[in-house]
């Protein structure tokens, strides 16, 4: 069965986004049509980024409060049943200075990833089902960066301190949904988590690290454990790594791990070439 989905996962700073880009580059060189979706892509076919979900009453209340923005909202809004989805990040990108902060605050509070875990899981699994049906009938190969394991773990463990069994079952449900796409899971690992995350903190803007630390220590698992600061964040990440190891071992699909501790781009690429060559039945030197 032809593989139509490659999933790249790993902890922050591990090099998963680099891996996703390299996989896309390698496949493109081999004339395999692949579509790459990195973290933060507002047009992701299987995930929501910057999208609010309101029920019918909540959406009517929003329109009543901001009637003059009804036409502005319309191109960024669609409904399914009694749910109304608003692509508010696209709205901000196009009309940011025109949108009242209070209206944006309302939309942010209803972000799909700010909803209770059961509702988030309901919406995300439905989105993955739509994607799987579409991808199965299409010719494209998709590469997803960190939305398969990372998002359910972040939502379940980091935000809500959900039971390991619930988080694991969330990912396993996604795996079952895309089974017909014969997915390949590539998990990027590091020997020294303290070093790899510290490297990410040094290389990225201060706003990123401050936001990340707050997210990991001021809610859910980290808050319950009483963790604070960078040291506490590392403790949460180590617990997350343990849960992701359990999930990786439990999912039923083609899967492999890549160690990126050397941060040697040429070596990294060579390892990925070997994995893709073997998986797709290609000659290594031809990839």
């Amino acid at each position: 069965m032809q593989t139509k989905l490659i999933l790249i996962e790993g902890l922050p700073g591990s090099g998963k986004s680099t891996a996703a880009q390299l996989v896309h580059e390698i496949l493109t060189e081999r004339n395999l049509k692949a579509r790459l979706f990195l973290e933060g892509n507002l047009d992701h076919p299987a995930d929501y980024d910057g999208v609010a979900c309101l029920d019918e009453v909540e959406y009517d209340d929003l329109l009543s409060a901001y009637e003059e923005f009804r036409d502005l909202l319309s191109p960024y809004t669609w409904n399914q049943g009694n749910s109304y989805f608003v692509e508010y990040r696209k709205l901000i990108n196009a009309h940011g200075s025109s949108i009242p902060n209070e209206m944006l605050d309302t939309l942010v509070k209803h972000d799909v990833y700010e909803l209770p875990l059961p509702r988030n899981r309901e919406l995300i699994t439905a989105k993955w089902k739509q994607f799987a049906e579409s991808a199965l009938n299409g010719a494209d190969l998709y590469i997803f960066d960190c939305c398969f394991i990372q998002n359910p773990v972040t939502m379940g463990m980091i935000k809500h301190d959900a039971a390991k069994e619930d988080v694991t079952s969330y990912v396993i449900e996604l795996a079952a949904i895309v089974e017909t796409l014969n997915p390949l899971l590539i998990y990027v690992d590091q020997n020294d988590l303290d070093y790899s995350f510290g490297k990410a903190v040094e290389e990225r803007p201060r706003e990123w690290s401050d936001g990340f630390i707050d997210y990991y220590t001021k809610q859910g698992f980290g808050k319950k454990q009483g963790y604070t600061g960078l040291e506490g964040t590392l403790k949460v990440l180590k617990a997350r790594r343990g849960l992701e190891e359990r999930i990786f071992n439990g999912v039923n699909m083609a899967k492999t791990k890549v160690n990126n501790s050397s941060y040697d781009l040429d070596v990294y690429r060579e390892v990925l070439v070997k994995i893709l060559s073997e998986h797709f039945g290609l000659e290594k030197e031809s990839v």
Side-chain angles (χ1 to χ4, degrees), residues 53-61 82-84 110 119:
C53 180
L54 301 87
D55 63 29
E56 191 169 9
V57 172
E58 292 167 337
Y59 186 67
D60 286 344
D61 288 344
N82 293 324
S83 296
Y84 287 79
H110 288 86
R119 180 59 171 154

